[in-house]
Amino acid sequence: MTVKVQTHNEGSRTVIVLDGEINSTTSGGLQAQLLPFIKAGSEVLVDLTGVSYVSSAGLRTLLIVHRHAQQLEAEITLSGLSEEVRFVMSATGFLDFFRIGDATEGERAGR
Amino acid sequence: MSVQDMSERERVDAFPTRTIGGYRVRAGRPFPYGATPVPGGVNFSVYSDRATAMSLVLFERGAKEPTAELEFPQEFRTGSVHAMTVFGLDLENLEYGFRADGPFDPEAGDRFDARRILGDPYARIVSGRDVWGEEPDWDNVYPYRSQVLNDDFDWGDDTPLRIPTEDLVIYETHVRGFTRHPSSGVRAPGTYAGLREKISYLKELGVNCVELLPVFEFDELDNPRTDPVSGERLHNYWGYNTVSFFAPKAGYAATGRFGMQADEFKSLVKELHRAGIEVVLDVVFNHTAEGNENGPTISFRGLDNATYYMLTDRGEYYNFSGTGNTVNCNHPVVRDFVLSCLRYWVAEYHIDGFRFDLAAILDRAPDGTPLPNPPLLEQLAHDPVLRHTKLIAEAWDAAGLYQVGHFPNYGRWSEWNGQYRDAVRRFIKGEPGLVGELATRMAGSPDLYQGRTASASVNFITAHDGFTLSDLVSYNDKHNEANGEGNGDGANDNHSWNCGEEGPSASAHVRDLRLRQTKNMLAILLTSQGVPMILAGDEAGRTQLGNNNTYCQDNDLSWFDWGLVEGPTANTELLEFTKALIAFRHAHPVLRTADHPTGVDRVGSGYADVSWHGVQAWMPDWAEHSRVLGMMRCGRHAKGGGTVADDHIYVAVNAHWEAHDLELPGLPPGQEWHLFTDTGALMSYGLHPPGSEPRLEHPGRYHLGPHSVVILVGRATH
């Protein structure tokens, strides 16, 4: 299982669309791919619509990226969380850290 | 070079030196024990004094057979600790264990068995019982599998709360039982996450400490019995049979199947702390799930039987715990294990305190003799990490060692006060000759805890083990048939009274009396000096249908029915009464003073810190036939006097079947008695909200009905 990363811009913000599973095998590479988008003052939306599962290591990766963003006063929003991903994040307390945002244009189009 | 560069520099020991079993490895570090992620790999460290050979056994998560076995080379051994760093492991898909070879010579204490794969005593998480009650593969070569934990939980600024012990109101509950009932309405019933959803209820109730029945990994399926009627499996529901001491129970986590039980439990603790509620864990160090020589070999027995268990000189297991084996708590290696474990739960899980099951065992020497100065208890009392945690002993064991009042305490330990429980039960039931003892118990049991503070006494009337409060007033006898032992299990000395009819009753008289008796006991509990503990559900009249030993009942008998809290079947009257009593206790520091009252005026108020009264003020009746006691607490003595202001409190208990006209003790000029509650009188929820109690019409007398408690507040009328 891998995680696919695609990006595009929607106005001033960068949208990162992820597809696949975020687990211990994929999360290291994912972190390396995400961090370059986190710049001072940037606005990033991570679309998790295509993510079926986020493991313990995966949640940590997302939180680490979020922490980097905080250091740089960048803003990260997660969107498109499946019910299960959202529940796991809420049960483990990870959800509390994130800004959970509106659907992206892709989601609204029923991608 | 910047600081960041330095922290990102690779370590020179982050490189393998050789290959074993197809894995790149190097000699590890003996500390810390267990599996610790290090740059590039995992450091494994395990103790065994007597093993002749030791291997690390690796599995892919859930696989039937191991992926690899890596024998520890002799040069990877420091003293009797085997340590190896293995590189290139996928932590999330890894399960590991050990295989130890050595002599099988039970008479000498050795029970090595190289056929078994052994769990790591320090495993941070364990898989195998990930979802509560799910049928496992019974032929699994390694049923409870050690796993490596990502321990970088983000606690923010959270820390144990350090609420003074005497200010606690403890609520004893079971993680699963609290929300497993379908009526709980939580997203994941029966889990840490479910409990987290109910924090607002706890806050409203007013408790500031939850004491959780065991949450260290155990096997709910290790009970061989079945229900005698339905034939259904009985569980080990309570969990007093630890499989792994550093691992939170996975089956209590909604996310246990993803291996995220540690995060879920930590998140619960963090949220409870945010609500001002401490977390005390019920811990079971007196025995393990390995049982006697016929029990399963899970970990300790196969790693170093003679170290971990108390053995007779013929190598048989001592059974002071009543469960087959006894942990050798005062062996230096085991002491270190227990201490490390508790430190771990405080440092990594921010736990506020511990209640030690059958704690008397912790002061026995390796041959079972009780020690006058047990090193383990002393060490726990003085440990820097545990310094402000609550240490609460169940100060007896299953082999007749009864230490209530004289458990070695080093000024730190509190005890479950079993004598408090029995005295209140018997007095309220109407037994004669108990007025004097009731007074002593309500004053914090200074007879038992001389030279210690009142917080040494954890006062309780009910606990998980025994009748619920509702059953205590509804059953004369236990009804444990559902446990499958012909009603032979569970305690017989319950001091209960059914108020006239055994079990559920249609009689309004019986039901009224039961409600009153319930309120009477809660009123005494929450106005006594010491630390009150309430059994979850008692505030709403939870019944177990007379079963006083529901250790195996994972069903409606044990689960908290939230219909008692809300809806048409709610016991609103009792619930609101309990809430107000708890609020009353929080509002009156004089009830929460640490020092025992002495019966003299220590602050020049003209009143003793405590005074005792009977039908006549200032004339307590200690006679055999007396069933009335009045207690007055002088508010000027609150918290030792001079620091906080409080009112005078008067509590009178009438356990007699007839009413009595009580003469009330006089108050200083300008003050009058106000009525907080009278359990025998009709008023909304049985009381007036704390702070808005009305003035008594007749200032000097009070007519107290049969089987009733009155609580008055002496203050200036607003």
Side-chain angles (χ1 to χ4, degrees), chain B residues 553-594:
Chain B
Q553 301 294 339
D554 178 34
N555 51 43
D556 285 358
L557 271 191
S558 303
W559 300 341
F560 191 164
D561 177 356
W562 291 83
L564 299 171
V565 170
E566 255 182 30
T569 54
N571 282 324
T572 311
E573 159 110 21
L574 180 58
L575 181 59
E576 294 303 320
F577 178 83
T578 312
K579 279 184 195 171
L581 263 179
I582 295 172
F584 186 83
R585 184 176 183 84
H586 288 314
H588 290 289
V590 69
L591 302 172
R592 298 180 276 110
T593 299

Side-chain angles (χ1 to χ4, degrees), chain B residues 440-498:
Chain B
T440 309
R441 298 292 154 251
M442 290 183 75
S445 298
D447 60 331
L448 298 174
Y449 304 112
Q450 197 70 56
R452 299 159 72 177
T453 67
S455 58
S457 179
V458 174
N459 298 331
F460 67 106
I461 295 165
T462 52
H464 69 276
D465 189 2
F467 278 137
T468 65
L469 193 55
S470 165
D471 288 355
L472 191 63
V473 296
S474 307
Y475 294 89
N476 284 348
D477 300 301
K478 68 181 182 187
H479 297 271
N480 296 359
E481 288 77 8
N483 297 352
E485 296 184 54
N487 204 27
D489 62 310
N492 295 314
D493 52 346
N494 297 297
H495 308 296
S496 62
W497 176 39
N498 66 16

